[in-house]
Every structure is written in structure tokens, then in C-alpha cells.
């Protein structure tokens, strides 16, 4: 039986989360069709033992790869190199899946030929268990689109995105290692080579939010701001050197411009020392202006607003309330 989907589960010291994540793939109807590669990235707790027990009990589904590096990016690269599935996706170890809709996805992947598959997902608030559904807008489910128009309104993220494995390999895709925020590479760089996308009305991924240990928390975004800049510099360099048709170029510009502007939020609002935040924010704006003027123009208005909020020392809770009000 052909394996239809490989799921990579990168794990570092995840003994508290894997017992909730891994059982969501345990279903006899998935055996032989689904491959789950658990990557133990030099964990110092019982992550490896938990993963090994699932691999021993369900060898048709789980494979454990023990590594001597903590690197997230290199673990995904390793999973992609050994993946047997027709399609490939990532599920972080502190998240999980909806088993029934995962089964439905595999049924669809049997006949699917799109380069990219997008599925709905839910955010799950860590403190309360509240589920917040995230659904696509203004699209026709099960219709094969060219990649660009629907994805510009429904920006793909790591929680929604499944790739054709051959596309990732043929494009030479690889993540940088040893840094956070490489999910931005994952949801932007392969699109340079993709030609088609399909959206399925399936609610698969469960994304745990509100965990202060996550790289997306304001504290960690501030702490690892240099990592984000390293990612963005790579995205900008690839964008300017890659050969793309105009539609691809327009889409990738939109996504990278979003990320470049969002980095200003980190610098102006999340760095606890606001004087440092203004210096770093202005430095990033000058870098864009001097090297990538079109991206600077796209981020300039947001930069100006954030600079003023930083200057008056608007608190982070007040900024988050303002942002929520503006998005209503």
C-alpha cells in the first residue's frame, strides 16, 4: 500500500506533550497509508522512550529517528530525506491532529495531484482549552487552483500546509538549522516552484497557543529577533535571485513583505528596552530602504505607526488590545 502522507514530528524535551500528540495517529485505518517520523533532537528527558514505545507498538505508522543535534531545521531536512509519503507535512510535538479528518485527508490524497494542499485548523488556548477555528475565505473547496490568488487572501501557514514530497525534493528545499522561525521558509520558499493548490474542508491541525515556551510568544520573539532577521535576509536574497513568472513573483513579494513588516512589530513593540527597539527598528528600516526599496515601501506605513507607539512607550498589553480592536 502506498504511503500517502509523511508527518514529521520534531521533538526536543517533549515528554509532557507527546503522550497527547502521538495517540492521534493511532488508528488501524491509517496503518500503511500514513508515516509518522518522530525526530528526537537530543532530548534530555523521556521523549525518546515515549517515541520508541509507539514505534514498537505501531511499526506500520511510527518511525523514531534519534539525532545528536537540537536543530529544528536539520530535523525537518532529515525527515524529508527519508520520507516515503506522496505528501509531506509538519506537526509540532506540542500540537496534535483531528484523527477523523486526517483519515478523510488521506482518502483525498489518493487522487490528488496538486503541489500544495491547504486544510483548516484550530487554535487551542492552553489555559482554557478554548478552540478557535481558522477557516479559509472566499474559496471553493476541492477545486484545483493556480497557486496565487486564493493564497494571497488565505496566507498559508505551517498549520495548514501540506506539500507534494517530490516538489520539495526537486526544488532542493532545505531549512536553515539552529535558529527559530524557519516555518517562514517552509511556507514561502517552496511556493516559488509550486503551480497548483487545493483547499479541503477538513479541520486537521490543533495548534496549542498561549505557551510561553513557544518561539512565537512576545518574549521569545524579542529574545530571538536576530534569528528572525536571518530568516528574512535569506527570503529576500532568494526572492531577488530566483527565476519566477510574474504571478509567482507577486505572491512571494506579498508574503515576504508581510514578514518584513511584522519584524518591525518585534523590534518596536516586543523588545523590552524601547530605546533599543527604536534603534533596531530604524536599522531594519534603513536596511530595507537601501537594499530592497520595494519592500521598504510596503512596510513604511506600518513602521511609522509602530515607531510612534514605541516612542510613547505604549505597553504591550495596550498594543495588543489596540491591534485586536483594529482587526475587528
Amino acid at each position: 500500500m502506498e504511503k500517502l502522507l509523511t508527518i514529521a514530528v520534531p521533538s526536543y524535551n517533549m515528554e509532557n506533550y507527546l503522550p497527547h500528540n502521538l495517540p492521534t495517529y493511532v488508528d488501524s485505518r491509517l496503518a500503511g497509508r500514513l508515516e509518522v517520523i518522530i525526530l528526537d533532537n537530543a532530548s534530555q528527558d523521556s521523549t525518546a522512550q515515549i517515541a520508541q514505545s509507539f514505534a514498537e507498538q505501531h511499526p506500520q505508522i511510527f518511525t523514531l529517528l534519534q539525532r545528536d543535534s537540537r536543530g529544528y531545521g536539520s530535523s525537518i531536512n532529515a525527515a524529508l530525506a527519508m520520507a516515503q509519503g506522496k505528501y509531506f507535512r509538519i506537526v509540532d510535538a506540542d500540537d496534535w491532529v483531528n484523527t477523523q479528518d486526517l483519515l478523510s485527508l488521506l482518502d483525498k490524497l489518493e487522487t490528488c495531484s496538486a503541489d500544495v494542499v491547504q486544510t483548516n485548523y484550530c487554535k487551542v488556548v492552553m489555559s482554557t482549552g478554548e478552540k478557535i477555528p481558522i477557516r479559509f475565505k472566499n474559496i471553493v473547496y476541492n477545486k484545483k487552483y493556480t497557486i496565487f490568488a486564493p493564497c494571497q487572501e488565505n496566507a498559508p501557514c505551517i498549520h495548514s500546509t501540506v506539500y507534494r514530497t517530490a516538489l520539495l525534493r526537486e526544488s532542493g528545499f532545505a531549512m536553515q538549522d539552529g535558529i527559530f522561525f524557519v516555518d517562514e521558509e517552509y511556507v514561502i520558499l517552496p511556493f516559488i516552484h509550486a503551480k497548483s493548490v487545493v483547499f479541503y474542508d477538513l479541520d486537521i491541525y490543533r495548534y496549542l497557543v498561549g505557551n510561553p515556551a513557544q518561539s512565537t510568544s512576545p518574549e521569545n520573539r524579542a529574545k530571538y529577533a536576530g534569528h528572525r532577521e536571518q530568516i528574512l535576509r535569506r527570503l529576500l536574497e532568494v526572492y531577488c535571485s530566483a527565476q519566477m513568472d510574474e504571478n509567482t513573483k507577486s505572491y512571494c513579494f506579498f508574503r515576504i513583505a508581510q514578514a518584513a513588516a511584522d519584524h518591525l512589530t518585534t523590534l518596536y513593540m516586543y523588545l523590552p528596552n524601547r530605546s533599543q527597539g527604536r534603534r533596531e527598528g530604524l536599522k531594519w528600516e534603513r536596511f530595507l530602504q537601501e537594499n530592497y526599496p520595494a519592500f521598504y515601501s510596503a512596510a513604511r506605513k506600518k513602521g511609522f505607526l509602530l515607531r510612534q507607539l514605541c516612542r510613547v512607550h505604549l505597553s504591550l498589553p495596550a498594543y495588543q488590545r489596540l491591534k485586536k480592536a483594529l482587526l475587528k
Side-chain angles (χ1 to χ4, degrees), residues 310-328:
C310 178
R311 193 180 302 276
V312 300
H313 290 264
L314 184 73
S315 71
L316 186 54
Y319 169 72
Q320 291 171 332
R321 288 195 298 270
L322 176 63
K323 182 179 177 181
K324 187 178 292 187
L326 291 174
L327 290 175
K328 285 184 177 179

Side-chain angles (χ1 to χ4, degrees), residues 126-172:
M126 187 174 189
S127 59
T128 65
E130 176 191 3
K131 292 181 180 178
I132 305 170
I134 308 297
R135 295 181 57 81
F136 299 111
K137 303 173 184 176
N138 302 323
I139 56 94
V140 177
Y141 288 108
N142 303 306
K143 175 182 177 180
K144 190 175 179 180
Y145 288 92
T146 54
I147 203 76
F148 312 104
C151 287
Q152 193 145 322
E153 184 173 5
N154 300 285
C157 66
I158 196 170
H159 315 112
S160 67
T161 302
V162 180
Y163 287 115
R164 192 167 56 85
T165 305
L167 171 78
L168 295 175
R169 288 176 174 160
E170 290 163 5
S171 68

Side-chain angles (χ1 to χ4, degrees), residues 26-192:
V26 177
D27 189 299
S28 60
R29 294 168 293 176
L30 294 171
R33 305 170 74 207
L34 173 71
E35 174 185 48
V36 178
I37 302 175
I38 313 162
L39 301 130
D40 171 34
N41 295 329
S43 296
Q44 299 173 344
D45 63 2
S46 61
T47 291
Q49 290 84 353
I50 294 168
Q52 184 62 37
S53 69
F54 276 86
E56 291 174 354
Q57 293 175 48
H58 309 282
Q60 289 185 293
I61 297 174
F62 296 101
T63 299
L64 170 62
L65 179 61
Q66 290 186 269
R67 306 175 64 253
D68 58 6
S69 167
R70 286 179 55 182
Y72 183 102
S74 62
S75 70
I76 300 303
N77 298 339
L80 179 58
M82 64 187 293
Q84 300 181 57
K86 178 182 175 183
Y87 283 85
F88 182 91
R89 81 170 304 160
I90 301 167
V91 176
D92 286 336
D94 53 347
D95 300 326
W96 62 98
V97 301
N98 174 335
T99 307
Q100 188 57 50
D101 278 14
L102 178 61
L103 281 159
S104 298
L105 174 64
L106 293 186
D107 290 341
K108 291 182 178 295
L109 292 183
E110 287 185 356
T111 57
C112 183
S113 61
D115 288 331
V116 185
V117 174
Q118 293 292 313
T119 58
N120 302 316
Y121 64 98
C122 269
K123 294 181 179 180
V124 182
V125 180
M126 187 174 189
S127 59
T128 65
E130 176 191 3
K131 292 181 180 178
I132 305 170
I134 308 297
R135 295 181 57 81
F136 299 111
K137 303 173 184 176
N138 302 323
I139 56 94
V140 177
Y141 288 108
N142 303 306
K143 175 182 177 180
K144 190 175 179 180
Y145 288 92
T146 54
I147 203 76
F148 312 104
C151 287
Q152 193 145 322
E153 184 173 5
N154 300 285
C157 66
I158 196 170
H159 315 112
S160 67
T161 302
V162 180
Y163 287 115
R164 192 167 56 85
T165 305
L167 171 78
L168 295 175
R169 288 176 174 160
E170 290 163 5
S171 68
F173 173 74
M175 286 181 170
Q176 296 184 75
D177 193 35
I179 57 175
F180 290 109
F181 311 114
V182 286
D183 58 300
E184 290 188 323
E185 295 180 338
Y186 181 77
V187 297
I188 293 176
L189 293 180
F191 277 76
I192 292 173

Side-chain angles (χ1 to χ4, degrees), residues 196-237:
S196 57
V197 60
V198 64
F199 295 79
Y200 292 137
D201 190 11
L202 298 171
D203 178 15
I204 293 177
Y205 200 110
R206 295 291 184 268
Y207 172 36
L208 189 67
V209 298
N211 184 347
Q214 289 173 319
S215 62
T216 53
S217 70
E219 295 79 11
N220 280 331
R221 281 183 56 172
K223 183 178 180 180
Y224 299 107
H227 291 198
R228 185 83 181 279
E229 183 168 326
Q230 184 175 330
I231 295 293
L232 288 168
R233 284 174 178 261
R234 182 190 183 196
L235 294 176
L236 290 163
E237 289 171 5

